[in-house]
Amino acid sequence: PPRSTLFPYTTLFRSLNIEGMMCGHCEARVKKALEALAQVDEAVVSHENGTAVVKLNVDVDNAVLKEAVEAQDYKVTGIN
């Protein structure tokens, strides 16, 4: 089927650089914090790369994503 039926046309992705994740447990905490946000459909987190790629269902201010991660005591060093 055409891509548009699988994903909304406006699918948005944001990539976060995160410091302080040391293990899978850290990864899970960050994933859970991001996915708790209504605007986030899915978060794919890697402690090896220090990244979280977030799939959004609606645009969101970067500060909201940063706050969710930093509330878990990890440092966000960049968002693209």
Side-chain angles (χ1 to χ4, degrees):
R3 182 180 157 80
S4 59
T5 61
L6 296 175
F7 300 101
Y9 182 66
T10 55
T11 299
L12 300 162
F13 290 90
R14 209 66 59 78
S15 178
L16 291 77
N17 296 331
I18 302 168
E19 278 179 8
M21 295 188 296
M22 298 300 165
C23 63
H25 175 71
C26 301
E27 239 170 64
R29 281 181 62 191
V30 171
K31 179 179 173 70
K32 187 175 177 187
L34 288 167
E35 291 181 350
L37 299 170
Q39 304 93 327
V40 175
D41 278 345
E42 186 184 7
V44 178
V45 184
S46 167
H47 73 275
E48 286 103 340
N49 299 327
T51 58
V53 178
V54 181
K55 181 181 167 194
L56 303 171
N57 53 54
V58 62
D59 201 11
V60 65
D61 197 287
N62 284 346
V64 174
L65 300 174
K66 184 176 197 279
E67 202 171 277
V69 173
E70 297 199 337
Q72 300 299 316
D73 292 327
Y74 302 102
K75 183 170 174 54
V76 176
T77 57
I79 301 179
N80 307 309

mmCIF file of all heavy atoms in Angstrom, residues 8 10-14 34 37-42 53-62 65:
data_model
loop_
_atom_site.group_PDB
_atom_site.id
_atom_site.type_symbol
_atom_site.label_atom_id
_atom_site.label_comp_id
_atom_site.label_asym_id
_atom_site.label_seq_id
_atom_site.Cartn_x
_atom_site.Cartn_y
_atom_site.Cartn_z
ATOM 1 N N PRO A 8 0.936 8.694 8.886
ATOM 2 C CA PRO A 8 0.366 9.997 8.521
ATOM 3 C C PRO A 8 1.383 10.762 7.680
ATOM 4 O O PRO A 8 2.588 10.613 7.872
ATOM 5 C CB PRO A 8 0.167 10.698 9.868
ATOM 6 C CG PRO A 8 0.295 9.653 10.904
ATOM 7 C CD PRO A 8 1.068 8.514 10.309
ATOM 8 N N THR A 10 2.317 13.609 7.868
ATOM 9 C CA THR A 10 3.093 14.562 8.650
ATOM 10 C C THR A 10 3.980 13.891 9.698
ATOM 11 O O THR A 10 4.321 14.523 10.687
ATOM 12 C CB THR A 10 2.147 15.532 9.374
ATOM 13 O OG1 THR A 10 1.233 14.743 10.142
ATOM 14 C CG2 THR A 10 1.384 16.398 8.408
ATOM 15 N N THR A 11 4.322 12.643 9.517
ATOM 16 C CA THR A 11 5.184 11.982 10.503
ATOM 17 C C THR A 11 6.447 12.807 10.733
ATOM 18 O O THR A 11 7.134 13.187 9.791
ATOM 19 C CB THR A 11 5.568 10.567 10.034
ATOM 20 O OG1 THR A 11 4.387 9.811 9.883
ATOM 21 C CG2 THR A 11 6.452 9.876 11.064
ATOM 22 N N LEU A 12 6.725 13.070 11.972
ATOM 23 C CA LEU A 12 7.861 13.901 12.351
ATOM 24 C C LEU A 12 8.813 13.090 13.213
ATOM 25 O O LEU A 12 8.381 12.301 14.046
ATOM 26 C CB LEU A 12 7.372 15.099 13.188
ATOM 27 C CG LEU A 12 6.374 16.032 12.519
ATOM 28 C CD1 LEU A 12 5.647 16.875 13.564
ATOM 29 C CD2 LEU A 12 7.084 16.927 11.533
ATOM 30 N N PHE A 13 10.096 13.318 12.993
ATOM 31 C CA PHE A 13 11.108 12.661 13.806
ATOM 32 C C PHE A 13 12.007 13.711 14.429
ATOM 33 O O PHE A 13 12.280 14.741 13.824
ATOM 34 C CB PHE A 13 11.949 11.699 12.961
ATOM 35 C CG PHE A 13 11.192 10.492 12.510
ATOM 36 C CD1 PHE A 13 10.504 10.503 11.303
ATOM 37 C CD2 PHE A 13 11.147 9.339 13.285
ATOM 38 C CE1 PHE A 13 9.782 9.392 10.885
ATOM 39 C CE2 PHE A 13 10.432 8.226 12.881
ATOM 40 C CZ PHE A 13 9.755 8.256 11.673
ATOM 41 N N ARG A 14 12.474 13.434 15.634
ATOM 42 C CA ARG A 14 13.422 14.309 16.291
ATOM 43 C C ARG A 14 14.507 13.410 16.868
ATOM 44 O O ARG A 14 14.210 12.340 17.379
ATOM 45 C CB ARG A 14 12.691 15.059 17.409
ATOM 46 C CG ARG A 14 13.190 16.427 17.776
ATOM 47 C CD ARG A 14 13.062 17.524 16.730
ATOM 48 N NE ARG A 14 11.728 17.835 16.253
ATOM 49 C CZ ARG A 14 10.828 18.568 16.901
ATOM 50 N NH1 ARG A 14 11.073 19.055 18.095
ATOM 51 N NH2 ARG A 14 9.677 18.830 16.349
ATOM 52 N N LEU A 34 10.036 9.549 27.511
ATOM 53 C CA LEU A 34 9.654 10.184 26.251
ATOM 54 C C LEU A 34 8.301 9.679 25.760
ATOM 55 O O LEU A 34 7.455 10.447 25.310
ATOM 56 C CB LEU A 34 10.738 9.950 25.183
ATOM 57 C CG LEU A 34 12.030 10.734 25.397
ATOM 58 C CD1 LEU A 34 13.132 10.205 24.506
ATOM 59 C CD2 LEU A 34 11.812 12.227 25.152
ATOM 60 N N LEU A 37 4.966 11.156 26.936
ATOM 61 C CA LEU A 37 4.458 12.400 26.363
ATOM 62 C C LEU A 37 3.409 12.088 25.294
ATOM 63 O O LEU A 37 3.611 11.205 24.467
ATOM 64 C CB LEU A 37 5.601 13.200 25.723
ATOM 65 C CG LEU A 37 6.724 13.645 26.658
ATOM 66 C CD1 LEU A 37 7.884 14.197 25.850
ATOM 67 C CD2 LEU A 37 6.211 14.692 27.644
ATOM 68 N N ALA A 38 2.314 12.832 25.315
ATOM 69 C CA ALA A 38 1.218 12.590 24.370
ATOM 70 C C ALA A 38 1.661 12.771 22.916
ATOM 71 O O ALA A 38 1.159 12.091 22.020
ATOM 72 C CB ALA A 38 0.050 13.521 24.680
ATOM 73 N N GLN A 39 2.629 13.649 22.690
ATOM 74 C CA GLN A 39 3.059 13.947 21.316
ATOM 75 C C GLN A 39 3.980 12.871 20.733
ATOM 76 O O GLN A 39 4.278 12.889 19.545
ATOM 77 C CB GLN A 39 3.809 15.288 21.262
ATOM 78 C CG GLN A 39 3.037 16.468 21.808
ATOM 79 C CD GLN A 39 3.329 16.724 23.277
ATOM 80 O OE1 GLN A 39 3.573 15.801 24.058
ATOM 81 N NE2 GLN A 39 3.295 17.987 23.673
ATOM 82 N N VAL A 40 4.451 11.965 21.586
ATOM 83 C CA VAL A 40 5.432 10.956 21.158
ATOM 84 C C VAL A 40 4.743 9.615 20.907
ATOM 85 O O VAL A 40 4.082 9.080 21.788
ATOM 86 C CB VAL A 40 6.542 10.794 22.223
ATOM 87 C CG1 VAL A 40 7.493 9.654 21.849
ATOM 88 C CG2 VAL A 40 7.307 12.099 22.391
ATOM 89 N N ASP A 41 4.903 9.099 19.688
ATOM 90 C CA ASP A 41 4.382 7.768 19.362
ATOM 91 C C ASP A 41 5.371 6.691 19.772
ATOM 92 O O ASP A 41 4.993 5.635 20.250
ATOM 93 C CB ASP A 41 4.132 7.640 17.853
ATOM 94 C CG ASP A 41 2.800 8.238 17.447
ATOM 95 O OD1 ASP A 41 1.959 8.487 18.331
ATOM 96 O OD2 ASP A 41 2.602 8.454 16.242
ATOM 97 N N GLU A 42 6.657 6.958 19.538
ATOM 98 C CA GLU A 42 7.676 5.944 19.801
ATOM 99 C C GLU A 42 9.024 6.609 20.013
ATOM 100 O O GLU A 42 9.328 7.619 19.378
ATOM 101 C CB GLU A 42 7.757 5.002 18.589
ATOM 102 C CG GLU A 42 8.678 3.828 18.798
ATOM 103 C CD GLU A 42 8.829 2.956 17.547
ATOM 104 O OE1 GLU A 42 8.325 3.351 16.486
ATOM 105 O OE2 GLU A 42 9.481 1.905 17.663
ATOM 106 N N VAL A 53 15.870 8.561 19.165
ATOM 107 C CA VAL A 53 15.147 9.026 17.985
ATOM 108 C C VAL A 53 13.669 8.907 18.305
ATOM 109 O O VAL A 53 13.182 7.835 18.658
ATOM 110 C CB VAL A 53 15.512 8.210 16.727
ATOM 111 C CG1 VAL A 53 14.690 8.695 15.535
ATOM 112 C CG2 VAL A 53 17.003 8.335 16.433
ATOM 113 N N VAL A 54 12.985 10.025 18.222
ATOM 114 C CA VAL A 54 11.609 10.116 18.664
ATOM 115 C C VAL A 54 10.690 10.318 17.471
ATOM 116 O O VAL A 54 10.931 11.197 16.640
ATOM 117 C CB VAL A 54 11.462 11.292 19.654
ATOM 118 C CG1 VAL A 54 10.038 11.393 20.161
ATOM 119 C CG2 VAL A 54 12.422 11.141 20.818
ATOM 120 N N LYS A 55 9.674 9.487 17.393
ATOM 121 C CA LYS A 55 8.641 9.637 16.361
ATOM 122 C C LYS A 55 7.463 10.370 16.988
ATOM 123 O O LYS A 55 6.902 9.921 17.986
ATOM 124 C CB LYS A 55 8.209 8.260 15.848
ATOM 125 C CG LYS A 55 7.154 8.320 14.769
ATOM 126 C CD LYS A 55 6.774 6.916 14.337
ATOM 127 C CE LYS A 55 5.511 6.951 13.500
ATOM 128 N NZ LYS A 55 4.933 5.619 13.333
ATOM 129 N N LEU A 56 7.111 11.505 16.400
ATOM 130 C CA LEU A 56 6.062 12.363 16.948
ATOM 131 C C LEU A 56 4.770 12.226 16.155
ATOM 132 O O LEU A 56 4.801 11.995 14.954
ATOM 133 C CB LEU A 56 6.511 13.828 16.884
ATOM 134 C CG LEU A 56 7.828 14.169 17.585
ATOM 135 C CD1 LEU A 56 8.250 15.588 17.237
ATOM 136 C CD2 LEU A 56 7.688 14.005 19.087
ATOM 137 N N ASN A 57 3.642 12.396 16.811
ATOM 138 C CA ASN A 57 2.364 12.428 16.103
ATOM 139 C C ASN A 57 1.920 13.864 15.848
ATOM 140 O O ASN A 57 0.993 14.124 15.092
ATOM 141 C CB ASN A 57 1.282 11.650 16.860
ATOM 142 C CG ASN A 57 1.165 12.098 18.305
ATOM 143 O OD1 ASN A 57 0.999 13.270 18.583
ATOM 144 N ND2 ASN A 57 1.270 11.149 19.223
ATOM 145 N N VAL A 58 2.603 14.806 16.498
ATOM 146 C CA VAL A 58 2.333 16.235 16.307
ATOM 147 C C VAL A 58 3.618 16.969 16.697
ATOM 148 O O VAL A 58 4.399 16.457 17.488
ATOM 149 C CB VAL A 58 1.132 16.687 17.177
ATOM 150 C CG1 VAL A 58 1.420 16.512 18.658
ATOM 151 C CG2 VAL A 58 0.727 18.117 16.870
ATOM 152 N N ASP A 59 3.831 18.122 16.097
ATOM 153 C CA ASP A 59 5.066 18.852 16.399
ATOM 154 C C ASP A 59 5.090 19.230 17.874
ATOM 155 O O ASP A 59 4.051 19.476 18.474
ATOM 156 C CB ASP A 59 5.162 20.104 15.522
ATOM 157 C CG ASP A 59 6.594 20.602 15.405
ATOM 158 O OD1 ASP A 59 7.523 19.870 15.822
ATOM 159 O OD2 ASP A 59 6.800 21.720 14.901
ATOM 160 N N VAL A 60 6.285 19.253 18.444
ATOM 161 C CA VAL A 60 6.436 19.550 19.867
ATOM 162 C C VAL A 60 7.683 20.414 20.052
ATOM 163 O O VAL A 60 8.652 20.285 19.306
ATOM 164 C CB VAL A 60 6.527 18.238 20.695
ATOM 165 C CG1 VAL A 60 7.775 17.452 20.341
ATOM 166 C CG2 VAL A 60 6.476 18.518 22.185
ATOM 167 N N ASP A 61 7.623 21.291 21.015
ATOM 168 C CA ASP A 61 8.770 22.138 21.318
ATOM 169 C C ASP A 61 9.906 21.268 21.853
ATOM 170 O O ASP A 61 9.667 20.376 22.675
ATOM 171 C CB ASP A 61 8.355 23.175 22.367
ATOM 172 C CG ASP A 61 9.344 24.328 22.425
ATOM 173 O OD1 ASP A 61 10.457 24.105 22.959
ATOM 174 O OD2 ASP A 61 9.011 25.410 21.938
ATOM 175 N N ASN A 62 11.115 21.524 21.388
ATOM 176 C CA ASN A 62 12.270 20.751 21.856
ATOM 177 C C ASN A 62 12.414 20.789 23.374
ATOM 178 O O ASN A 62 12.869 19.820 23.981
ATOM 179 C CB ASN A 62 13.558 21.270 21.215
ATOM 180 C CG ASN A 62 13.696 20.838 19.770
ATOM 181 O OD1 ASN A 62 12.986 19.950 19.309
ATOM 182 N ND2 ASN A 62 14.597 21.465 19.045
ATOM 183 N N LEU A 65 10.730 17.859 25.137
ATOM 184 C CA LEU A 65 11.496 16.609 25.048
ATOM 185 C C LEU A 65 12.684 16.648 26.008
ATOM 186 O O LEU A 65 12.946 15.687 26.731
ATOM 187 C CB LEU A 65 11.981 16.386 23.610
ATOM 188 C CG LEU A 65 10.893 16.280 22.538
ATOM 189 C CD1 LEU A 65 11.515 16.222 21.153
ATOM 190 C CD2 LEU A 65 9.997 15.069 22.772
#
